[in-house]
Amino acid sequence: MAEGTGRPGAYRKGIERRRQILDHAIDLFTRRGADGASLRSVAEVIGVSHAALRHYFSSRDALLVEAYREHERRHSRPEDPAAGGPVAQMARSADRNRVVPGLVQLYATLTADALQEQHPLTREFVQARFARVRGELAQAVVQGQREGRIAADVDPHEAAALVVAASDGLQVQWLLDPGGVDVRRSLELLERVLPSRPQEPSPAEPPAAGAPGDEGGG
Amino acid sequence: MAEGTGRPGAYRKGIERRRQILDHAIDLFTRRGADGASLRSVAEVIGVSHAALRHYFSSRDALLVEAYREHERRHSRPEDPAAGGPVAQMARSADRNRVVPGLVQLYATLTADALQEQHPLTREFVQARFARVRGELAQAVVQGQREGRIAADVDPHEAAALVVAASDGLQVQWLLDPGGVDVRRSLELLERVLPSRPQEPSPAEPPAAGAPGDEGGG
């Protein structure tokens, strides 16, 4: 309501100001996670007034969701949905997260909040995000089945949920025990069910009967 | 300090009282999760004074951790570590959790808290729990390798971390989308890497070379 009070210059300035605040918030969460972050404490740390922060973000939940959404938008790549298969895709994303543990914490906070009644906005964001990511990975599974890499009797949606879950859960365990958990190596065990590349025949693992081999890949 | 003031009767009564409070807290968290639970709000809901609750649980974190620990203690079964393989074990545990979504929420809250600096006690509990569960599942993987069900080149610790992660992550997705995610069916995809039972030879999946068959186990 207070936004866009008529003058185009003011509107543009408002957008710019909002982006700056989001930059600071992402930077703050990257360094410290988002636990115990209230609008008031965030305003204090990033040096804006509580009123200014509330002008752009109506609640703590709105700020956390927008910060995470913006972080993902900046780091998403226009990826070929089928590039490298579902496991390779998640492994790359997990690799990128290694350098921003604070945002993995933020993600865990959003997910835990989403399970609680008191956070409807967070819930909506996390639900939609899970549905989208599962949809993309299911596509990659279907592609792998078309190319004969992935067994035809694997349900793409069940497999997609598994890959997302494994990646999320492994990152949490890694944050708590960086020396004891290797996200990539554990994830790569899933390659045995959902291969990203054609399987090479080996004495221990004969190729599945009926694998099409060289169909030229759609 | 206030505890055990000399009289054995008072001490026994204290233990009993603590157990009653824990019962009420577990019941409360089962129904509503633990989000936003402060010692004060929990005391109000379960009908004890804030001072009494603080006498037994020094902080919100201590109450949440003890409630979850006690819940797990009551529902743990003296399970043969090798019974049914690592995936089957986690699937059974996930099945038990279906009826107590509030405690899955509590678990997610504990895990998210554990990632934040401000919750050292929760962190210690969650770290130790992950290490213990991974250790048990790694044993089950080793057992599966001895029995020739699981490929020898699977690292038991990497596999254990994967199974825990998949189970944790799938339960979160299921809570947010009960109709769209089937924990058991997604988990069972892991059976293809970590079989709980000897694989039946089929045209599509020949038995692994060198499977020992009947060594008598144990």
Side-chain angles (χ1 to χ4, degrees):
Chain A
M1 261 197 278
E3 216 172 285
T5 47
R7 291 175 305 139
Y11 180 65
R12 196 172 339 117
K13 230 174 130 180
I15 290 182
E16 175 62 16
R17 185 82 184 112
R18 184 180 187 277
R19 201 191 52 73
Q20 283 173 353
I21 291 178
L22 216 44
D23 279 348
H24 285 300
I26 292 172
D27 182 52
L28 173 66
F29 298 148
T30 304
R31 284 183 288 115
R32 300 197 199 170
D35 184 48
S38 63
L39 280 186
R40 196 170 295 275
S41 67
V42 170
E44 224 165 82
V45 176
I46 70 180
V48 300
S49 74
H50 183 220
L53 192 55
R54 285 217 52 167
H55 175 69
Y56 295 104
F57 304 97
S58 57
S59 65
R60 167 194 175 273
D61 287 1
L63 176 64
L64 265 52
V65 162
E66 287 308 313
Y68 196 79
R69 198 201 304 272
E70 180 63 18
H71 157 73
E72 281 209 311
R73 202 186 57 74
R74 289 180 195 177
H75 292 83
S76 76
R77 311 200 178 153
E79 212 151 19
D80 174 0
V87 179
Q89 282 185 33
M90 283 315 268
R92 275 200 299 278
S93 153
D95 279 349
R96 289 197 292 268
N97 286 341
R98 283 179 68 97
V99 293
V100 287
L103 291 173
V104 181
Q105 286 177 13
L106 171 56
Y107 177 75
T109 299
L110 288 173
T111 308
D113 284 355
L115 300 180
Q116 323 283 348
E117 275 176 27
Q118 300 93 320
H119 303 274
L121 187 134
T122 308
R123 187 183 192 90
E124 201 179 315
F125 168 72
V126 174
Q127 277 173 331
R129 187 184 171 281
F130 271 134
R132 176 176 54 76
V133 176
R134 284 198 301 259
E136 287 167 6
L137 292 175
Q139 282 299 317
V141 174
V142 169
Q143 181 70 16
Q145 289 173 322
R146 278 200 200 112
E147 293 171 6
R149 286 181 279 116
I150 297 176
D153 64 348
V154 168
D155 181 286
H157 292 280
E158 288 166 12
L162 174 66
V163 175
V164 179
S167 175
D168 286 359
L170 284 166
Q171 290 182 66
V172 166
Q173 289 181 55
W174 166 72
L175 278 176
L176 289 168
D177 188 358
V181 173
D182 187 318
V183 174
R184 180 172 269 278
R185 288 188 56 89
S186 282
L187 264 186
E188 278 174 357
L189 283 170
L190 286 178
E191 287 280 346
R192 299 179 187 219
V193 192
L194 307 165
S196 297
R197 283 174 299 276
Q199 297 298 81
E200 282 172 28
S202 79
E205 287 181 60
D214 53 351
E215 281 187 343
Chain B
M1 261 197 278
E3 216 172 284
T5 45
R7 290 176 305 139
Y11 181 66
R12 195 171 342 116
K13 229 173 131 179
I15 290 181
E16 174 63 15
R17 185 82 184 111
R18 185 181 186 279
R19 202 191 52 71
Q20 283 174 352
I21 291 178
L22 216 45
D23 280 348
H24 284 301
I26 292 172
D27 183 53
L28 172 66
F29 298 147
T30 304
R31 283 183 288 115
R32 300 196 198 171
D35 184 48
S38 63
L39 278 186
R40 197 170 294 277
S41 68
V42 170
E44 222 166 82
V45 176
I46 69 180
V48 300
S49 73
H50 182 220
L53 192 55
R54 285 217 53 167
H55 175 69
Y56 295 105
F57 304 96
S58 57
S59 65
R60 166 193 175 273
D61 286 1
L63 177 63
L64 264 51
V65 163
E66 286 308 313
Y68 196 79
R69 197 200 304 271
E70 179 63 19
H71 158 71
E72 281 208 311
R73 202 186 58 72
R74 288 181 195 175
H75 292 83
S76 77
R77 312 204 177 152
E79 213 152 14
D80 174 0
V87 179
Q89 283 186 33
M90 283 314 269
R92 275 199 299 277
S93 155
D95 279 350
R96 290 196 291 267
N97 286 341
R98 284 179 66 98
V99 293
V100 287
L103 291 174
V104 181
Q105 287 176 14
L106 172 57
Y107 177 75
T109 299
L110 288 173
T111 307
D113 284 354
L115 301 180
Q116 324 282 349
E117 275 175 26
Q118 301 92 318
H119 303 274
L121 186 134
T122 308
R123 187 181 192 90
E124 200 179 314
F125 168 72
V126 174
Q127 277 174 330
R129 187 184 171 282
F130 271 133
R132 176 176 53 76
V133 175
R134 285 198 300 260
E136 287 168 6
L137 292 175
Q139 282 300 317
V141 174
V142 169
Q143 182 71 16
Q145 289 174 323
R146 276 200 202 113
E147 293 170 7
R149 286 181 277 116
I150 297 176
D153 65 347
V154 168
D155 181 285
H157 293 279
E158 289 167 10
L162 174 65
V163 175
V164 178
S167 174
D168 286 0
L170 284 166
Q171 289 182 66
V172 166
Q173 290 182 55
W174 166 72
L175 277 177
L176 289 168
D177 187 359
V181 173
D182 187 318
V183 175
R184 179 172 269 277
R185 287 189 56 90
S186 282
L187 265 185
E188 278 174 355
L189 283 170
L190 287 178
E191 287 281 347
R192 298 179 188 220
V193 192
L194 307 165
S196 296
R197 282 174 299 277
Q199 297 297 81
E200 281 172 30
S202 78
E205 286 181 61
D214 52 351
E215 281 188 342

